[in-house]
Amino acid sequence: MPKGASQNQIRNRLKQNANADGPRPPPQRFRRGGGGSGNRWWNAYHLADRLTPSSATLTKLFAGLFAVIALIFLVRFVTLKARTARLWTPVPLPTLVPQNGTSAELSPDLFWGTYRPQLIEDGLEPQIRHWCEQSDRLRYSWDAHDGRNFGSQSIRDEEFAITTEFVKRPKMGGKGGDWTARISTKLVGVNASDAKQRQRSPILSVMFYFLLPDSTLGHLRGQTVDEQFRLERIQGHTKELGEFQVNFRPRTSGPVRYTHLSTYAPREDLIKETVMHRMTGSPDGTIGLTGRSNMKIENLFVFQMTSMPEFQLEVSFESVSGLSDRQAAGGSLQGETFSREFSRHEAAFNRSLAQKFGATVANEKSSGFVRSALSNMLGGIGYFYGSSIVNSPETETTAAYWPAALFSATPSRSFFPRGFLWDEGFHNLLIGQFDPEISRDILAHWLDLMNVNGWIPREQILGFEAKAKVPGEFVVQPDTKCESAYAFSGSGTATPYLTRDGAGKADKEFLRRLYPRLATWYAFFNTTQAGLLPGTYRWRGRDSNKVHQLNPLTLSSGLDDYPRASHPTDEERHLDLLCWMAMASRVMAQIGFAVDAPDWRKFSATWESLRAESHLDKYHWSEQLASYYDYGLHSERVRLERPQPPKLKPGQPPPQTPPKKIRRVDVEPRLGHVPGFGYVSLFPMLMRLLQPGSPRLGKILTDLADPKLLWTAYGLRSLSPQSSMYNRHNTEDDPPYWRGAIWINANYLAVTALRHYASQPGPHRETAAQLAERLRTAVFNNVMKEWDSTGFLWEQYEDRTGRGQRTHPFCGWTALAALLAVA
């Protein structure tokens, strides 16, 4: 309505109503409250209200509708706020890690350790080595590591051979005890007696730093000696450690230059940058540190020793509170005392290996491999602290999780130096066999990260140093993505005494505290990952809008690019997740029985229901394909195609890069089983759901052993060459991952499942036994061969040649090969 016509129209309506209805009472006078336009609008509104009876009803309807809409928005706002708060609220259950459970007082054995697995300890001028990087072309490996008291690591950097060793004495003084690290260097391929060769050899510079984080509220001060101002000692104090000192004891027979640095570093991820800014050249061509920075607060001390190998450096940490204990033990942990203690721990480690992994390994090389695989798993354990960055697409909220600690093994020191939830289940199959207490400690830390919904972030990126190793787009953890339930298996293997009478008092108490958290976690999986039909399951997080992916990823499953239904829908049914949930039900029933939980029979009934062959057949068996598969909306005729570039306007320059390939569907998808025989089809056997006499088991064993499908001379490939997705890129930049390569975690599950069926009476017993031994031999021999020739365990192995590929060293679940050393 035009602004100038509103009053005229009202007057016209007044006249029309007066003529129609006869005389009316005089209009009510309204008092002007200041003469503003708001008052004029109010007057006009009420005049119209009085003079049009139907508009009163409409006004009330609109007011009521407005109130309802406002209430809906208010309820939604309050609900979203509540859901958002639940995202970062811990589950209200007693924690498994006691308060201050990782302190020097309560956990002296594990207080100090090699808990920054992403580091190596040598420096090579002019390039400084600090973080493990695959591009460095270094060979580094723990030769021995017991996870507690001692370790020895070998580093090969071109012609330099460097050995780092450590020994701990945790009982010295009750403040975390003493430790000593010894760094030894030598030249390889150089005749030490040939003066010309030695003169041409580059020198090596080793830096050892000691950082006291601001959170300790402590202080450091250094002591120097001789004309080079060599840093001899650091003295310091914190509330937890009390008074302590760090002593530097170098040994060399040749020329040497000492420098040091005392300065302030705000965070551990800035240490290298801080050191680089305080380096300078010298007349002899070496690069050294500049001494004191004259900052008010100095929390970083760096000792530098530059010489031509061979030389050695011992760094010892001593707690002042442990003086009397140290004297009773024969003095400081240096020189001959260090060597003697190292030898004592090494002998105990070797005895434990023989006892727990079998003394009858094939030969010395096999024994050395087992020792290396276990040591690198234990040496890859890290301690992290910080807050995960999480979000909930449902509430469109991104925020920080509560600050928490994580004690966890890591898949790869160079590429994945952080905690991964489903990897951890496999890690603890090995760790739990060697040291169940460490395994339980790891499990406790992980389950204490559970929020009130029962969700645990699948990838833990805690602290600035961890975040510095992860691309920004992968830092945020959405709560729609949970990780595979195989960590439930870690719960079982860490507690192998799952009977009412088999557990000790302390172990049973741990199980009793563990059970409510596992039950909450189980409920989270059982509700958030449920399928449309009872007893079916669907991984969440698949995104059909990722048009650059040939097959939308299923990261939650752990089998990232394994082929699933080409078109994600709510009607999908994922076979592997059903089998994981069946296995989790079995573990819950076992633990519940062990601790006399009143609901253990419920989990036992679920296990029997999910494993029933009739249930598996109903939802996942394909008569046409004669095997178990996923179900969903799927087309086999899918490809990546580069779209045509847009037409250019006159004078417009062409784009520098062509448009990325996008997914094209040549044949419309249909609901049905998703073809492509691979690891997922084996899951009813891998999780031991099938009965020993089942014909379905016999069919799976036949297919498993078929070289045209999964069998190779090096282990089981992840996807059959007959699959349309075999070895195909998922984007033009992402090579195949779970589309043909051999993965050791899946092969380990296959060997152990085959051994299980070989131990059960039935028609497939002998076949399972033969396949178990053939597969064990193939996997172990190939992994050991590649380790022997390259020095690394690898993330995966090429199915046609057996060569290691992708991330290395990968001492996570590939180290499970150590459990296959003995028949």
Side-chain angles (χ1 to χ4, degrees):
M1 184 183 297
K3 183 177 180 182
S6 59
Q7 296 293 336
N8 293 332
Q9 290 190 6
I10 291 174
R11 292 191 189 98
N12 291 336
R13 291 179 65 186
L14 284 169
K15 293 178 181 178
Q16 292 170 4
N17 288 332
N19 295 334
D21 301 328
R24 297 183 65 90
Q28 182 179 352
R29 292 182 178 273
F30 294 98
R31 189 174 176 183
R32 295 177 185 266
S37 60
N39 285 331
R40 289 197 298 271
W41 173 84
W42 190 83
N43 291 346
Y45 174 85
H46 282 276
L47 282 171
D49 186 34
R50 292 183 61 205
L51 298 176
T52 55
S54 61
S55 66
T57 303
L58 289 175
T59 299
K60 291 176 182 178
L61 286 175
F62 280 123
L65 181 61
F66 177 79
V68 170
I69 294 174
L71 181 61
I72 291 173
F73 273 98
L74 179 62
V75 170
R76 176 171 171 77
F77 175 77
V78 172
T79 302
L80 287 177
K81 291 286 286 185
R83 289 178 179 174
T84 300
R86 292 175 68 86
L87 180 63
W88 59 70
T89 301
V91 62
L93 291 169
T95 59
L96 297 174
V97 180
Q99 187 175 7
N100 297 323
T102 59
S103 66
E105 180 181 0
L106 297 183
S107 183
D109 287 352
L110 296 174
F111 181 68
W112 291 104
T114 52
Y115 297 148
R116 294 169 70 200
Q118 70 273 23
L119 302 186
I120 53 177
E121 290 92 344
D122 71 306
L124 175 64
E125 298 174 354
Q127 181 183 17
I128 292 182
R129 311 282 199 204
H130 186 225
W131 287 351
C132 298
E133 301 286 355
Q134 291 192 106
S135 58
D136 282 343
R137 301 189 305 276
L138 295 178
R139 289 182 60 164
Y140 51 93
S141 175
W142 287 104
D143 303 314
H145 199 306
D146 67 353
R148 291 180 180 272
N149 299 304
F150 94 112
S152 176
Q153 177 182 220
S154 296
I155 304 171
R156 180 67 183 273
D157 191 349
E158 298 181 359
E159 66 265 54
F160 296 119
I162 302 160
T163 302
T164 65
E165 301 166 314
F166 76 91
V167 173
K168 292 163 46 182
R169 292 199 295 199
K171 306 299 183 183
M172 298 289 161
K175 295 284 187 178
D178 297 351
W179 54 261
T180 294
R182 177 186 284 175
I183 304 165
S184 306
T185 69
K186 66 178 181 179
L187 290 170
V188 178
V190 176
N191 186 352
S193 61
D194 189 328
K196 290 184 178 180
Q197 283 195 37
R198 287 186 58 82
Q199 190 174 9
R200 290 195 300 267
S201 299
I203 59 175
L204 180 68
S205 183
V206 169
M207 289 181 246
F208 191 102
Y209 64 81
F210 193 94
L211 174 74
L212 202 61
D214 292 342
S215 58
T216 64
L217 301 177
H219 65 264
L220 298 174
R221 62 182 181 274
Q223 294 182 5
T224 59
V225 296
D226 65 40
E227 66 279 0
Q228 293 196 49
F229 297 100
R230 174 172 62 87
L231 183 64
E232 181 184 47
R233 182 177 295 111
I234 302 170
Q235 294 177 319
H237 174 272
T238 71
K239 181 178 180 180
E240 184 170 32
L241 298 175
E243 298 286 341
F244 63 85
Q245 62 183 24
V246 181
N247 303 303
F248 298 94
R249 193 177 178 208
R251 295 177 182 174
T252 183
S253 58
V256 60
R257 182 188 179 205
Y258 298 107
T259 61
H260 74 277
L261 173 65
S262 57
T263 187
Y264 175 79
R267 302 194 310 255
E268 62 269 23
D269 62 311
L270 300 176
I271 291 174
K272 181 176 177 179
E273 179 181 339
T274 302
V275 171
M276 292 286 287
H277 287 165
R278 302 292 298 179
M279 300 191 76
T280 184
S282 66
D284 62 4
T286 62
I287 299 175
L289 300 170
T290 57
R292 295 198 63 180
S293 63
N294 295 318
M295 302 187 75
K296 291 183 178 180
I297 300 176
E298 295 179 335
N299 69 341
L300 174 66
F301 277 74
V302 187
F303 174 97
Q304 182 182 14
M305 179 180 183
T306 303
S307 184
M308 186 178 297
E310 300 176 358
F311 63 83
Q312 190 178 90
L313 172 65
E314 283 186 354
V315 183
S316 59
F317 176 95
E318 295 181 343
S319 172
V320 173
S321 66
L323 179 60
S324 59
D325 292 336
R326 194 175 305 114
Q327 291 173 344
S332 297
L333 195 57
Q334 297 176 348
E336 289 300 321
T337 303
F338 176 92
S339 300
R340 185 171 59 252
E341 287 293 293
F342 185 93
S343 298
R344 183 175 68 85
H345 286 300
E346 187 175 34
F349 179 63
N350 290 336
R351 287 194 301 271
S352 185
L353 277 177
Q355 176 186 354
K356 297 178 179 180
F357 292 91
T360 57
V361 289
N363 52 48
E364 185 176 346
K365 182 180 291 186
S366 299
S367 180
F369 171 81
V370 171
R371 174 181 163 123
S372 176
L374 174 65
S375 295
N376 281 284
M377 173 74 81
L378 294 170
I381 292 175
Y383 179 82
F384 311 92
Y385 187 86
S387 297
S388 292
I389 306 301
V390 299
N391 81 344
S392 175
E394 182 180 7
T395 61
E396 299 180 352
T397 301
T398 298
Y401 226 47
W402 65 89
L406 178 65
F407 186 59
S408 174
T410 57
S412 170
R413 292 172 61 188
S414 63
F415 204 75
F416 300 114
R418 54 192 178 276
F420 288 81
L421 183 54
W422 99 295
D423 294 60
E424 203 61 56
F426 291 101
H427 296 163
N428 282 280
L429 297 174
L430 180 59
I431 297 171
Q433 183 161 329
F434 179 75
D435 193 328
E437 185 178 339
I438 291 180
S439 187
R440 287 194 292 271
D441 200 3
I442 289 173
L443 181 64
H445 276 84
W446 270 103
L447 291 179
D448 278 351
L449 295 172
M450 183 182 299
N451 74 5
V452 70
N453 295 325
W455 175 66
I456 302 174
R458 58 184 288 271
E459 183 177 347
Q460 293 294 321
I461 309 168
L462 304 181
F464 292 105
E465 200 164 35
K467 288 183 174 66
K469 295 282 286 185
V470 182
E473 62 266 29
F474 298 114
V475 169
V476 178
Q477 302 293 302
D479 69 350
T480 54
K481 293 179 181 177
C482 55
E483 197 74 279
S484 163
Y486 196 63
F488 275 99
S489 181
S491 307
T493 56
T495 52
Y497 35 69
L498 294 175
T499 64
R500 281 197 176 100
D501 302 322
K505 184 176 180 181
D507 297 329
K508 210 161 192 175
E509 179 57 31
F510 175 76
L511 284 177
R512 190 169 283 109
R513 291 188 294 114
L514 178 75
Y515 187 77
R517 286 184 175 267
L518 285 180
T520 303
W521 196 22
Y522 178 96
F524 170 79
F525 273 99
N526 205 35
T527 54
T528 65
Q529 309 298 297
L532 290 180
L533 300 175
T536 66
Y537 296 90
R538 173 174 62 88
W539 292 112
R540 301 307 197 264
R542 303 191 70 212
D543 189 350
S544 58
N545 294 321
K546 301 286 187 180
V547 297
H548 300 292
Q549 295 177 1
L550 184 65
N551 189 274
L553 295 174
T554 315
L555 294 174
S556 299
S557 72
L559 310 178
D560 303 3
D561 69 341
Y562 188 92
R564 308 284 182 167
S566 61
H567 292 65
T569 67
D570 291 350
E571 295 175 285
E572 272 190 277
R573 304 197 290 262
H574 291 136
L575 171 64
D576 54 331
L577 182 51
L578 185 153
C579 296
W580 286 131
M581 291 307 300
M583 181 274 297
S585 302
R586 184 182 75 236
V587 171
M588 289 301 300
Q590 291 173 326
I591 297 179
F593 176 81
V595 300
D596 299 309
D599 59 350
W600 72 268
R601 289 182 176 85
K602 174 187 70 175
F603 294 109
S604 181
T606 303
W607 153 247
E608 295 295 343
S609 173
L610 293 180
R611 74 173 299 198
E613 192 167 298
S614 58
H615 183 77
L616 289 168
D617 285 1
K618 180 178 181 180
Y619 294 118
H620 289 286
W621 179 265
S622 168
E623 288 292 345
Q624 179 183 358
L625 301 171
S627 192
Y628 289 111
Y629 293 95
D630 284 346
Y631 181 93
L633 187 63
H634 182 70
S635 172
E636 280 286 277
R637 299 292 300 276
V638 181
R639 57 189 170 86
L640 291 175
E641 179 182 87
R642 196 177 309 282
Q644 293 293 324
K647 292 183 178 181
L648 301 178
K649 297 179 180 179
Q652 182 181 1
Q656 294 183 349
T657 58
K660 285 187 173 293
K661 291 181 179 180
I662 60 175
R663 182 173 60 248
R664 300 293 190 196
V665 180
D666 294 326
V667 175
E668 286 302 305
R670 297 175 59 185
L671 278 173
H673 292 97
V674 181
F677 190 76
Y679 285 165
V680 165
S681 297
L682 302 181
F683 261 77
M685 181 205 73
L686 298 181
M687 296 293 104
R688 309 175 194 184
L689 272 61
L690 297 174
Q691 297 289 350
S694 168
R696 304 293 194 229
L697 175 61
K699 181 62 166 63
I700 288 178
L701 296 183
T702 299
D703 291 342
L704 177 151
D706 188 347
K708 296 178 182 177
L709 297 175
L710 302 188
W711 192 272
T712 78
Y714 318 105
L716 300 178
R717 57 169 68 93
S718 48
L719 189 64
S720 165
Q722 297 179 6
S723 167
S724 63
M725 289 288 184
Y726 173 72
N727 270 344
R728 290 180 68 181
H729 279 53
N730 201 49
T731 73
E732 59 181 309
D733 301 317
D734 293 333
Y737 203 40
W738 290 85
R739 296 183 178 177
I742 296 167
W743 292 83
I744 303 308
N745 59 334
N747 277 267
Y748 174 82
L749 292 179
V751 171
T752 55
L754 290 167
R755 285 174 171 174
H756 164 75
Y757 286 111
S759 69
Q760 305 296 310
H764 312 300
R765 184 175 188 174
E766 186 175 345
T767 300
Q770 293 173 353
L771 288 175
E773 180 54 23
R774 286 177 58 199
L775 184 59
R776 181 202 70 81
T777 302
V779 172
F780 179 76
N781 287 347
N782 186 66
V783 173
M784 189 174 68
K785 175 180 69 69
E786 288 297 291
W787 168 79
D788 190 47
S789 62
T790 67
F792 296 120
L793 297 179
W794 294 79
E795 183 179 13
Q796 56 178 218
Y797 296 84
E798 211 276 332
D799 63 319
R800 289 163 295 191
T801 64
R803 286 198 298 267
Q805 59 186 23
R806 296 184 73 105
T807 301
H808 62 281
F810 192 92
C811 300
W813 59 43
T814 300
L816 290 175
L819 296 177
L820 302 179
V822 181

